[in-house]
Amino acid sequence: MRTSLALLAALFLLPGLASAQAWRSYFPGAGASASGAASACPKIPPVAIGNTQAYADDLGDGTCFVSIHPMNADMVYRDYAVFSDGMLMVFSSYGAGEGPDMTSARSFYFFPRRGLPRLETDKAAGTVRVVMADGGVATFDPATAQIAGLDRGAVTVSPRIARDDDGGVEIPEYRGLMLDAGFRLGELPAGRPNAASTFRSAEGQTCTVTNSEIFAYKSGNPVLKFDDAGLSAFLKTRCPGLNVGF
């Protein structure tokens, strides 16, 4: 059963932390490490710049993330999380209340993964940036907490926050290998094994695969099956017309 967004907002004073708990309901298998080992993820407490709150933490299962959230949001908002597995998640909330149609996610993955996501903020300059796992840099507008640019590609953001806008964020080009896992109400798009996701190369070549080909499912979470070398080998066989690039 999914946790009510209204209840989460009441439990946490910081809106960004409430948001993190909201999208965390999409990761039912994540939690405190059974071994109690210290996390390797860089942890940065919430930083406020303009209307943006940003912080870095981990899911408790070895997955690191950076969260970007609008501070003046009520229960209708769009925010972002960048993960160490290469995923950029666009999370939308459509208001208070429960039900699978009250939140959504649009997911993009970027390869190859070179390191952990890194939050970079400068209060004096008023800048918020996230270095993603593939080394690409996402810049956020501190006035709106919305993604404003990608150093390796183009991005568009809809001013609307609505269920019919597929998350409201599109990345029409990217100088690297990208996986568009699509949009889904109430869950991660990759959470459905029989649904499809599409790889796109830096040259714009595409190849659509079934989620079960590239994701395993652990405790309800979709987890990429391959490291970068394994993904490259898989795609060169499965999608021979796609220039993987690594």
Side-chain angles (χ1 to χ4, degrees), residues 1-2 22-32 59 61 186-188 191 217-222:
M1 182 175 68
R2 300 194 186 281
W23 59 248
R24 253 176 142 148
S25 70
Y26 283 15
F27 298 85
L59 288 178
D61 63 354
E187 65 178 284
L188 286 173
Y217 295 86
K218 300 178 180 179
S219 301
N221 294 340

Side-chain angles (χ1 to χ4, degrees), residues 135-203:
V137 178
T139 303
F140 293 84
D141 180 353
T144 63
Q146 297 305 297
I147 190 167
L150 292 166
D151 70 328
R152 297 182 181 178
V155 61
T156 63
V157 181
S158 170
R160 300 171 62 242
I161 300 175
R163 295 175 179 84
D164 62 355
D165 70 353
D166 290 341
V169 174
E170 298 294 338
I171 301 175
E173 61 182 74
Y174 191 78
R175 293 185 294 277
L177 182 67
M178 186 183 85
L179 173 66
D180 185 345
F183 169 82
R184 188 73 63 185
L185 288 169
E187 65 178 284
L188 286 173
R192 298 189 178 185
N194 295 326
S197 296
T198 300
F199 286 94
R200 191 177 72 227
S201 72
E203 292 82 4

Side-chain angles (χ1 to χ4, degrees), residues 8 64 92 97 198 203 223 226 241 246:
L8 289 166
C64 309
S92 298
T198 300
E203 292 82 4
V223 178
F226 304 107
F246 59 92

Side-chain angles (χ1 to χ4, degrees), residues 52-146:
T52 297
Q53 181 174 269
Y55 70 100
D57 206 335
D58 69 81
L59 288 178
D61 63 354
T63 303
C64 309
F65 71 85
V66 173
S67 173
I68 306 291
H69 182 76
M71 293 182 67
N72 68 354
D74 49 21
M75 296 310 295
V76 178
Y77 62 84
R78 177 192 298 123
D79 67 6
Y80 302 82
V82 178
F83 296 87
S84 52
D85 64 355
M87 180 169 67
L88 166 64
M89 181 174 70
V90 182
F91 178 86
S92 298
S93 171
Y94 303 114
E98 297 187 50
D101 63 343
M102 297 306 297
T103 64
S104 71
R106 176 74 184 273
S107 298
F108 305 91
Y109 292 78
F110 302 92
F111 306 97
R113 295 153 291 184
R114 304 297 193 190
L116 299 177
R118 187 170 73 250
L119 173 63
E120 297 180 346
T121 60
D122 187 326
K123 286 193 173 184
T127 57
V128 180
R129 303 177 355 136
V130 179
V131 181
M132 300 188 296
D134 74 326
V137 178
T139 303
F140 293 84
D141 180 353
T144 63
Q146 297 305 297

